[in-house]
Amino acid sequence: MPSGCFVILLPTDSDYKVMGYYFKEGKIDFEISNDLFLRLNLNHSKNEYNLLKIKNLQIFSYLHNFKGKLSRSASGIIIGLLLNENDKPEKYRSSLKEGAEAFEIPSLNILKKSSEEFELILKDIYLEHLEPLIDILQPEALKESIINITKFMLSGEKKERKIAQGLLEKIENGEHIKISENYKLAEKTIKTFEYEKAAKFYNKAAEIAESLYVMDIATSLKEKGDFSRRIPELSKERERMVQEARNALRNEDFHAAYTSYRKASDISKKLVQFEKEEEYRLKSKALEDFYKIDQKYRQNK
């Protein structure tokens, strides 16, 4: 489980600004130093998602670029989750993106908030978006979310009250349980590498979520479905890069080898498979260093 999160603002006319932190179990010994920001910023210049390991923490972060009015004052934000050593970052991929997008809601006007005000907003966004999706999709949690929506609608106009009555009937019939069931089937199926089938379960869960007006959950489920469909293509491309690297090594073409391993590392980041990303990145770095030394001695002959 995450122990907290942070948000860094990237202003267009000044240096970065740490907007705030949220720590789930009270303050922990963590802060964004200049060095840590530079590492994050450098890595995010190449990838939307990034994983850093420091001490006993994993920092899983996402770069979100602003659009519209906000982009005049800041290019975007880096939002990061503080994970324990045993947490799987890929579980939080869609939640992290969804949390970042929530800061663009005009009514929040985050650029004018004080640190104290922003951290209250960050806490709400953490609890609503960044907790593991499986927790949010438990039947009782879904039921509570939908009932809260109906309470708001029941105070509205005739059309909204009618929709609210329909939602309450769907809950009574257990419609919300089907979201959780389809999500669990998708998660089970993806472990057997049936990505297209998993995508169908994610999308079915998303359709039901939309019909029950839990739109943020529907968006997360749709994204997971889309990502599931992309996994085979990305995996094949990575395997091709790895094979090219191995072939280049056999031919002692070290430049081509480290270039191909670097591409395999970049694809692994897109797949949110950071163990593979680290493996191919280290191989690429080692071969690049060897290539440079080899070139130097060749020139001196």
Side-chain angles (χ1 to χ4, degrees), residues 36 39-40 43 50-54 57-61:
L36 181 52
R39 289 176 68 188
L40 287 168
N43 289 344
N50 183 62
L51 183 71
L52 281 180
K53 296 179 181 179
I54 57 169
L57 284 176
Q58 300 184 90
I59 302 174
F60 184 40
S61 56

Side-chain angles (χ1 to χ4, degrees), residues 38-158:
L38 288 173
R39 289 176 68 188
L40 287 168
N41 199 38
L42 178 62
N43 289 344
H44 280 300
S45 68
K46 302 172 185 175
N47 295 281
E48 288 182 324
Y49 292 93
N50 183 62
L51 183 71
L52 281 180
K53 296 179 181 179
I54 57 169
K55 297 180 181 179
N56 59 341
L57 284 176
Q58 300 184 90
I59 302 174
F60 184 40
S61 56
Y62 172 72
L63 171 67
H64 177 68
N65 292 311
F66 287 150
K67 300 178 183 67
K69 290 183 179 179
L70 275 177
S71 64
R72 299 172 191 170
S73 302
S75 62
I77 57 172
I78 295 173
I79 181 169
L81 270 178
L82 306 177
L83 304 177
N84 297 313
E85 291 175 295
N86 299 323
D87 286 329
K88 301 293 184 185
E90 58 270 20
K91 287 171 54 180
Y92 304 94
R93 186 179 183 279
S94 58
S95 301
L96 202 56
K97 182 178 180 183
E98 185 183 311
E101 290 171 347
F103 286 105
E104 280 205 86
I105 298 171
S107 59
L108 287 181
N109 202 4
I110 62 166
L111 299 181
K112 294 186 178 180
K113 300 295 182 185
S114 66
S115 295
E116 292 77 12
E117 290 172 321
F118 183 84
E119 288 184 353
L120 289 173
I121 294 169
L122 182 56
K123 178 182 178 181
D124 289 341
I125 285 176
Y126 176 90
L127 295 174
E128 184 175 350
H129 298 287
L130 299 180
E131 288 278 33
L133 193 56
I134 186 62
D135 294 345
I136 300 169
L137 294 182
Q138 293 297 330
E140 285 306 309
L142 282 168
K143 184 176 181 179
E144 184 179 349
S145 295
I146 298 162
I147 287 174
N148 287 336
I149 292 167
T150 62
K151 286 177 181 177
F152 177 77
M153 286 183 164
L154 286 170
S155 63
E157 297 179 358
K158 184 178 179 180

Side-chain angles (χ1 to χ4, degrees), residues 184-214:
K184 288 176 181 176
L185 283 170
E187 292 287 286
K188 184 178 178 181
T189 306
I190 210 166
K191 289 176 182 176
T192 60
F193 312 110
E194 298 173 90
Y195 299 111
E196 185 65 32
K197 188 175 179 182
K200 289 178 181 177
F201 284 127
Y202 284 129
N203 288 330
K204 180 62 179 175
E207 286 174 15
I208 300 168
E210 275 192 346
S211 72
L212 293 173
Y213 283 75
V214 277

Side-chain angles (χ1 to χ4, degrees), residues 106-283:
S107 59
L108 287 181
N109 202 4
I110 62 166
L111 299 181
K112 294 186 178 180
K113 300 295 182 185
S114 66
S115 295
E116 292 77 12
E117 290 172 321
F118 183 84
E119 288 184 353
L120 289 173
I121 294 169
L122 182 56
K123 178 182 178 181
D124 289 341
I125 285 176
Y126 176 90
L127 295 174
E128 184 175 350
H129 298 287
L130 299 180
E131 288 278 33
L133 193 56
I134 186 62
D135 294 345
I136 300 169
L137 294 182
Q138 293 297 330
E140 285 306 309
L142 282 168
K143 184 176 181 179
E144 184 179 349
S145 295
I146 298 162
I147 287 174
N148 287 336
I149 292 167
T150 62
K151 286 177 181 177
F152 177 77
M153 286 183 164
L154 286 170
S155 63
E157 297 179 358
K158 184 178 179 180
K159 184 179 178 180
E160 289 177 320
R161 292 198 301 272
K162 187 176 180 180
I163 291 171
Q165 290 294 338
L167 288 176
L168 291 172
E169 288 175 15
K170 287 181 179 180
I171 290 172
E172 285 297 315
N173 293 330
E175 193 72 10
H176 61 292
I177 298 171
K178 295 177 184 177
I179 300 174
S180 181
E181 289 173 344
N182 277 280
Y183 176 76
K184 288 176 181 176
L185 283 170
E187 292 287 286
K188 184 178 178 181
T189 306
I190 210 166
K191 289 176 182 176
T192 60
F193 312 110
E194 298 173 90
Y195 299 111
E196 185 65 32
K197 188 175 179 182
K200 289 178 181 177
F201 284 127
Y202 284 129
N203 288 330
K204 180 62 179 175
E207 286 174 15
I208 300 168
E210 275 192 346
S211 72
L212 293 173
Y213 283 75
V214 277
M215 298 305 185
D216 53 340
I217 289 173
T219 299
S220 289
L221 290 166
K222 278 183 182 177
E223 186 186 316
K224 288 184 80 68
D226 292 341
F227 182 64
S228 182
R229 283 200 171 95
R230 291 182 61 216
I231 289 174
E233 181 184 344
L234 288 170
S235 298
K236 284 179 183 177
E237 178 63 13
R238 180 178 64 188
E239 187 56 37
R240 189 172 71 82
M241 289 296 104
V242 171
Q243 194 57 53
E244 283 187 8
R246 290 169 180 164
N247 292 340
L249 270 177
R250 291 190 192 101
N251 296 322
E252 297 187 0
D253 185 347
F254 302 112
H255 182 274
Y258 85 71
T259 301
S260 293
Y261 272 131
R262 182 183 292 165
K263 289 177 181 176
S265 175
D266 290 341
I267 293 169
S268 297
K269 268 198 173 183
K270 290 178 182 177
L271 287 165
V272 202
Q273 294 176 359
F274 289 103
E275 287 183 4
K276 289 290 185 183
E277 181 273 332
E278 183 179 35
E279 176 190 344
Y280 297 134
R281 174 170 46 81
L282 292 175
K283 286 180 178 178

Side-chain angles (χ1 to χ4, degrees), residues 9-25:
L9 184 71
L10 304 173
T12 53
D13 58 356
S14 61
D15 206 354
Y16 74 95
K17 177 184 178 183
V18 179
M19 295 293 288
Y21 304 88
Y22 169 67
F23 301 112
K24 192 171 180 181
E25 302 295 337

